[in-house]
Amino acid sequence: MLLRLLLVAAFAAAVVVAGRAWRARDGRMTATADRLGATELARLGVTDAVRTGVVGVLLTSATCSTCEAAKGVLDDVARERRRFAWCSADVADHLDLVRALGVLRAPTLLVVAPDGRIVARTSGVPRADELRRTIDATVPHTARRRAPLRASSRPGERAAGVARRAAT
C-alpha cells in the first residue's frame, strides 16, 4: 500500500514538473539554422514585396484553439513594426514543409529574414516582447507603421493580399 502511494506521489510530482517546463517554454523564441527557399515562400503566400523585411509564417490548423490569440499578437506587432509582415498557412496544406522543419504542434511561428533564413521559431502563442526583439535584431530601423500586413495562404487570398498591403 505504501509503495503504491509513493508511486502515485512520484507520478504526480513528475506531471507537475513537466507541466511547468512546458509552460515556461511555450511561446518562447528559439534560434534556428533552417532556411526557406523562394519557392517555399511563394507557396506560403509570401511575395517579393513583403520579403524586404521580416516575415512571420504562422503554421495553423483548423482545430487550433490558440491560433486566434497568436494572430492577435502578430497583428499588434505588425502595427508597431514597419518592416514586419505575417501570413498564415494551414499545416494540412504544407505537410512536406511541416515534416522537413519538424513542426510538432500548431500554432508554430517561423520568423523569416529577407534572405530566407529562419532566424527564430516558437510554438504556441508568441511572446510579443521577444518577437519585437527578434524583428529589431534581424532588420534594424523597424519604426512604427501605419497599418498591419496580414495575409493567408488560402487560395484566392494568397499573394495579392500581401502585396497590396505591403504597398501601404
Side-chain angles (χ1 to χ4, degrees), residues 38-70:
T39 305
E40 292 156 328
L41 288 169
R43 282 185 52 221
L44 291 169
V46 179
T47 64
D48 290 338
V50 176
R51 289 181 45 203
T52 59
V54 178
V55 176
V57 178
L58 185 67
L59 300 172
T60 64
S61 73
T63 60
C64 177
S65 63
T66 57
C67 290
E68 290 305 314

mmCIF file of all heavy atoms in Angstrom, residues 38-70:
data_model
loop_
_atom_site.group_PDB
_atom_site.id
_atom_site.type_symbol
_atom_site.label_atom_id
_atom_site.label_comp_id
_atom_site.label_asym_id
_atom_site.label_seq_id
_atom_site.Cartn_x
_atom_site.Cartn_y
_atom_site.Cartn_z
ATOM 1 N N ALA A 38 12.898 30.496 -52.112
ATOM 2 C CA ALA A 38 11.904 31.376 -52.737
ATOM 3 C C ALA A 38 10.649 30.602 -53.129
ATOM 4 O O ALA A 38 9.527 31.107 -52.998
ATOM 5 C CB ALA A 38 12.518 32.066 -53.955
ATOM 6 N N THR A 39 10.810 29.363 -53.583
ATOM 7 C CA THR A 39 9.654 28.549 -53.975
ATOM 8 C C THR A 39 8.779 28.239 -52.770
ATOM 9 O O THR A 39 7.550 28.352 -52.846
ATOM 10 C CB THR A 39 10.131 27.236 -54.622
ATOM 11 O OG1 THR A 39 10.996 27.558 -55.709
ATOM 12 C CG2 THR A 39 8.968 26.409 -55.116
ATOM 13 N N GLU A 40 9.403 27.862 -51.665
ATOM 14 C CA GLU A 40 8.633 27.557 -50.456
ATOM 15 C C GLU A 40 7.923 28.790 -49.934
ATOM 16 O O GLU A 40 6.771 28.729 -49.510
ATOM 17 C CB GLU A 40 9.555 26.977 -49.378
ATOM 18 C CG GLU A 40 10.095 25.608 -49.737
ATOM 19 C CD GLU A 40 11.394 25.302 -49.023
ATOM 20 O OE1 GLU A 40 12.172 26.247 -48.775
ATOM 21 O OE2 GLU A 40 11.623 24.122 -48.734
ATOM 22 N N LEU A 41 8.604 29.936 -49.951
ATOM 23 C CA LEU A 41 7.973 31.178 -49.501
ATOM 24 C C LEU A 41 6.794 31.539 -50.392
ATOM 25 O O LEU A 41 5.745 31.968 -49.902
ATOM 26 C CB LEU A 41 9.001 32.314 -49.473
ATOM 27 C CG LEU A 41 10.034 32.232 -48.345
ATOM 28 C CD1 LEU A 41 11.145 33.239 -48.572
ATOM 29 C CD2 LEU A 41 9.386 32.429 -47.000
ATOM 30 N N ALA A 42 6.938 31.365 -51.698
ATOM 31 C CA ALA A 42 5.839 31.669 -52.621
ATOM 32 C C ALA A 42 4.648 30.738 -52.367
ATOM 33 O O ALA A 42 3.493 31.187 -52.397
ATOM 34 C CB ALA A 42 6.313 31.552 -54.064
ATOM 35 N N ARG A 43 4.898 29.463 -52.097
ATOM 36 C CA ARG A 43 3.817 28.524 -51.797
ATOM 37 C C ARG A 43 3.084 28.909 -50.521
ATOM 38 O O ARG A 43 1.898 28.636 -50.364
ATOM 39 C CB ARG A 43 4.354 27.107 -51.661
ATOM 40 C CG ARG A 43 4.639 26.449 -52.992
ATOM 41 C CD ARG A 43 5.047 24.997 -52.857
ATOM 42 N NE ARG A 43 4.089 24.256 -52.059
ATOM 43 C CZ ARG A 43 4.435 23.346 -51.154
ATOM 44 N NH1 ARG A 43 5.693 23.086 -50.917
ATOM 45 N NH2 ARG A 43 3.513 22.699 -50.475
ATOM 46 N N LEU A 44 3.785 29.559 -49.611
ATOM 47 C CA LEU A 44 3.167 30.004 -48.359
ATOM 48 C C LEU A 44 2.446 31.332 -48.513
ATOM 49 O O LEU A 44 1.801 31.798 -47.585
ATOM 50 C CB LEU A 44 4.233 30.113 -47.264
ATOM 51 C CG LEU A 44 4.819 28.783 -46.794
ATOM 52 C CD1 LEU A 44 6.044 29.024 -45.929
ATOM 53 C CD2 LEU A 44 3.783 27.970 -46.047
ATOM 54 N N GLY A 45 2.576 31.965 -49.675
ATOM 55 C CA GLY A 45 1.893 33.235 -49.918
ATOM 56 C C GLY A 45 2.744 34.453 -49.643
ATOM 57 O O GLY A 45 2.237 35.571 -49.587
ATOM 58 N N VAL A 46 4.056 34.283 -49.487
ATOM 59 C CA VAL A 46 4.953 35.402 -49.210
ATOM 60 C C VAL A 46 5.522 35.900 -50.533
ATOM 61 O O VAL A 46 6.182 35.165 -51.249
ATOM 62 C CB VAL A 46 6.101 34.969 -48.264
ATOM 63 C CG1 VAL A 46 7.032 36.124 -47.992
ATOM 64 C CG2 VAL A 46 5.529 34.417 -46.972
ATOM 65 N N THR A 47 5.248 37.169 -50.846
ATOM 66 C CA THR A 47 5.698 37.739 -52.112
ATOM 67 C C THR A 47 7.006 38.498 -51.942
ATOM 68 O O THR A 47 7.428 38.799 -50.831
ATOM 69 C CB THR A 47 4.643 38.715 -52.662
ATOM 70 O OG1 THR A 47 4.536 39.806 -51.749
ATOM 71 C CG2 THR A 47 3.296 38.044 -52.844
ATOM 72 N N ASP A 48 7.622 38.822 -53.077
ATOM 73 C CA ASP A 48 8.871 39.587 -53.049
ATOM 74 C C ASP A 48 8.680 40.955 -52.404
ATOM 75 O O ASP A 48 9.583 41.475 -51.778
ATOM 76 C CB ASP A 48 9.424 39.765 -54.469
ATOM 77 C CG ASP A 48 9.949 38.442 -55.026
ATOM 78 O OD1 ASP A 48 10.270 37.556 -54.216
ATOM 79 O OD2 ASP A 48 10.022 38.305 -56.255
ATOM 80 N N ALA A 49 7.493 41.552 -52.564
ATOM 81 C CA ALA A 49 7.238 42.878 -51.997
ATOM 82 C C ALA A 49 7.345 42.858 -50.479
ATOM 83 O O ALA A 49 7.783 43.820 -49.865
ATOM 84 C CB ALA A 49 5.845 43.365 -52.418
ATOM 85 N N VAL A 50 6.964 41.767 -49.869
ATOM 86 C CA VAL A 50 6.990 41.661 -48.415
ATOM 87 C C VAL A 50 8.365 41.246 -47.926
ATOM 88 O O VAL A 50 8.775 41.567 -46.823
ATOM 89 C CB VAL A 50 5.926 40.649 -47.945
ATOM 90 C CG1 VAL A 50 5.997 40.439 -46.460
ATOM 91 C CG2 VAL A 50 4.560 41.134 -48.331
ATOM 92 N N ARG A 51 9.131 40.552 -48.752
ATOM 93 C CA ARG A 51 10.406 39.997 -48.314
ATOM 94 C C ARG A 51 11.481 41.051 -48.116
ATOM 95 O O ARG A 51 12.625 40.720 -47.852
ATOM 96 C CB ARG A 51 10.871 38.935 -49.303
ATOM 97 C CG ARG A 51 10.008 37.697 -49.193
ATOM 98 C CD ARG A 51 10.407 36.598 -50.097
ATOM 99 N NE ARG A 51 11.830 36.388 -50.091
ATOM 100 C CZ ARG A 51 12.468 35.813 -51.093
ATOM 101 N NH1 ARG A 51 11.816 35.417 -52.156
ATOM 102 N NH2 ARG A 51 13.771 35.625 -51.023
ATOM 103 N N THR A 52 11.154 42.327 -48.187
ATOM 104 C CA THR A 52 12.138 43.368 -47.884
ATOM 105 C C THR A 52 12.322 43.523 -46.386
ATOM 106 O O THR A 52 13.232 44.196 -45.938
ATOM 107 C CB THR A 52 11.711 44.716 -48.487
ATOM 108 O OG1 THR A 52 10.445 45.066 -47.941
ATOM 109 C CG2 THR A 52 11.628 44.636 -49.998
ATOM 110 N N GLY A 53 11.460 42.906 -45.621
ATOM 111 C CA GLY A 53 11.554 42.959 -44.165
ATOM 112 C C GLY A 53 11.449 41.568 -43.581
ATOM 113 O O GLY A 53 11.646 40.573 -44.259
ATOM 114 N N VAL A 54 11.114 41.500 -42.319
ATOM 115 C CA VAL A 54 10.956 40.224 -41.626
ATOM 116 C C VAL A 54 9.535 39.719 -41.858
ATOM 117 O O VAL A 54 8.580 40.485 -41.806
ATOM 118 C CB VAL A 54 11.216 40.399 -40.110
ATOM 119 C CG1 VAL A 54 11.006 39.104 -39.367
ATOM 120 C CG2 VAL A 54 12.611 40.935 -39.879
ATOM 121 N N VAL A 55 9.424 38.419 -42.116
ATOM 122 C CA VAL A 55 8.118 37.811 -42.352
ATOM 123 C C VAL A 55 7.877 36.750 -41.294
ATOM 124 O O VAL A 55 8.746 35.922 -41.023
ATOM 125 C CB VAL A 55 8.039 37.168 -43.755
ATOM 126 C CG1 VAL A 55 6.713 36.460 -43.947
ATOM 127 C CG2 VAL A 55 8.250 38.212 -44.834
ATOM 128 N N GLY A 56 6.711 36.803 -40.695
ATOM 129 C CA GLY A 56 6.295 35.760 -39.775
ATOM 130 C C GLY A 56 5.382 34.801 -40.504
ATOM 131 O O GLY A 56 4.405 35.216 -41.117
ATOM 132 N N VAL A 57 5.713 33.524 -40.498
ATOM 133 C CA VAL A 57 4.872 32.493 -41.109
ATOM 134 C C VAL A 57 4.247 31.702 -39.969
ATOM 135 O O VAL A 57 4.943 30.995 -39.242
ATOM 136 C CB VAL A 57 5.686 31.569 -42.045
ATOM 137 C CG1 VAL A 57 4.790 30.478 -42.615
ATOM 138 C CG2 VAL A 57 6.345 32.372 -43.163
ATOM 139 N N LEU A 58 2.943 31.858 -39.808
ATOM 140 C CA LEU A 58 2.221 31.189 -38.733
ATOM 141 C C LEU A 58 1.598 29.916 -39.280
ATOM 142 O O LEU A 58 0.732 29.965 -40.150
ATOM 143 C CB LEU A 58 1.134 32.095 -38.152
ATOM 144 C CG LEU A 58 0.383 31.552 -36.955
ATOM 145 C CD1 LEU A 58 1.313 31.429 -35.747
ATOM 146 C CD2 LEU A 58 -0.806 32.436 -36.622
ATOM 147 N N LEU A 59 2.065 28.777 -38.792
ATOM 148 C CA LEU A 59 1.526 27.487 -39.203
ATOM 149 C C LEU A 59 0.391 27.132 -38.261
ATOM 150 O O LEU A 59 0.600 27.011 -37.045
ATOM 151 C CB LEU A 59 2.631 26.428 -39.185
ATOM 152 C CG LEU A 59 3.807 26.734 -40.114
ATOM 153 C CD1 LEU A 59 4.947 25.752 -39.891
ATOM 154 C CD2 LEU A 59 3.364 26.727 -41.561
ATOM 155 N N THR A 60 -0.804 26.982 -38.812
ATOM 156 C CA THR A 60 -2.009 26.771 -38.012
ATOM 157 C C THR A 60 -2.725 25.499 -38.466
ATOM 158 O O THR A 60 -2.309 24.850 -39.416
ATOM 159 C CB THR A 60 -2.981 27.953 -38.170
ATOM 160 O OG1 THR A 60 -3.418 28.013 -39.531
ATOM 161 C CG2 THR A 60 -2.332 29.256 -37.780
ATOM 162 N N SER A 61 -3.816 25.183 -37.787
ATOM 163 C CA SER A 61 -4.684 24.084 -38.212
ATOM 164 C C SER A 61 -6.130 24.488 -37.948
ATOM 165 O O SER A 61 -6.393 25.418 -37.189
ATOM 166 C CB SER A 61 -4.340 22.792 -37.469
ATOM 167 O OG SER A 61 -4.779 22.860 -36.141
ATOM 168 N N ALA A 62 -7.034 23.758 -38.568
ATOM 169 C CA ALA A 62 -8.454 24.079 -38.421
ATOM 170 C C ALA A 62 -8.945 23.880 -36.988
ATOM 171 O O ALA A 62 -9.891 24.537 -36.559
ATOM 172 C CB ALA A 62 -9.275 23.227 -39.378
ATOM 173 N N THR A 63 -8.310 23.011 -36.244
ATOM 174 C CA THR A 63 -8.752 22.711 -34.884
ATOM 175 C C THR A 63 -7.929 23.430 -33.817
ATOM 176 O O THR A 63 -8.060 23.135 -32.635
ATOM 177 C CB THR A 63 -8.680 21.191 -34.627
ATOM 178 O OG1 THR A 63 -7.330 20.767 -34.801
ATOM 179 C CG2 THR A 63 -9.587 20.438 -35.572
ATOM 180 N N CYS A 64 -7.113 24.372 -34.214
ATOM 181 C CA CYS A 64 -6.216 25.068 -33.296
ATOM 182 C C CYS A 64 -7.000 26.057 -32.432
ATOM 183 O O CYS A 64 -7.611 26.992 -32.944
ATOM 184 C CB CYS A 64 -5.137 25.795 -34.094
ATOM 185 S SG CYS A 64 -4.028 26.769 -33.096
ATOM 186 N N SER A 65 -6.947 25.846 -31.120
ATOM 187 C CA SER A 65 -7.691 26.725 -30.218
ATOM 188 C C SER A 65 -6.916 27.995 -29.855
ATOM 189 O O SER A 65 -7.518 28.992 -29.482
ATOM 190 C CB SER A 65 -8.075 25.965 -28.949
ATOM 191 O OG SER A 65 -6.902 25.565 -28.264
ATOM 192 N N THR A 66 -5.594 27.977 -29.955
ATOM 193 C CA THR A 66 -4.803 29.149 -29.584
ATOM 194 C C THR A 66 -4.338 29.961 -30.791
ATOM 195 O O THR A 66 -3.655 30.973 -30.611
ATOM 196 C CB THR A 66 -3.571 28.728 -28.759
ATOM 197 O OG1 THR A 66 -2.805 27.798 -29.521
ATOM 198 C CG2 THR A 66 -3.976 28.119 -27.439
ATOM 199 N N CYS A 67 -4.709 29.537 -31.988
ATOM 200 C CA CYS A 67 -4.255 30.243 -33.192
ATOM 201 C C CYS A 67 -4.792 31.676 -33.269
ATOM 202 O O CYS A 67 -4.096 32.573 -33.730
ATOM 203 C CB CYS A 67 -4.614 29.458 -34.454
ATOM 204 S SG CYS A 67 -3.641 27.946 -34.630
ATOM 205 N N GLU A 68 -6.009 31.899 -32.826
ATOM 206 C CA GLU A 68 -6.573 33.254 -32.854
ATOM 207 C C GLU A 68 -5.798 34.192 -31.937
ATOM 208 O O GLU A 68 -5.566 35.352 -32.263
ATOM 209 C CB GLU A 68 -8.059 33.244 -32.494
ATOM 210 C CG GLU A 68 -8.939 32.619 -33.561
ATOM 211 C CD GLU A 68 -8.777 33.259 -34.932
ATOM 212 O OE1 GLU A 68 -8.768 34.508 -35.037
ATOM 213 O OE2 GLU A 68 -8.649 32.507 -35.918
ATOM 214 N N ALA A 69 -5.389 33.700 -30.784
ATOM 215 C CA ALA A 69 -4.583 34.514 -29.873
ATOM 216 C C ALA A 69 -3.229 34.833 -30.506
ATOM 217 O O ALA A 69 -2.729 35.961 -30.393
ATOM 218 C CB ALA A 69 -4.389 33.797 -28.541
ATOM 219 N N ALA A 70 -2.638 33.850 -31.191
ATOM 220 C CA ALA A 70 -1.356 34.082 -31.871
ATOM 221 C C ALA A 70 -1.522 35.117 -32.980
ATOM 222 O O ALA A 70 -0.676 36.003 -33.150
ATOM 223 C CB ALA A 70 -0.819 32.774 -32.440
#
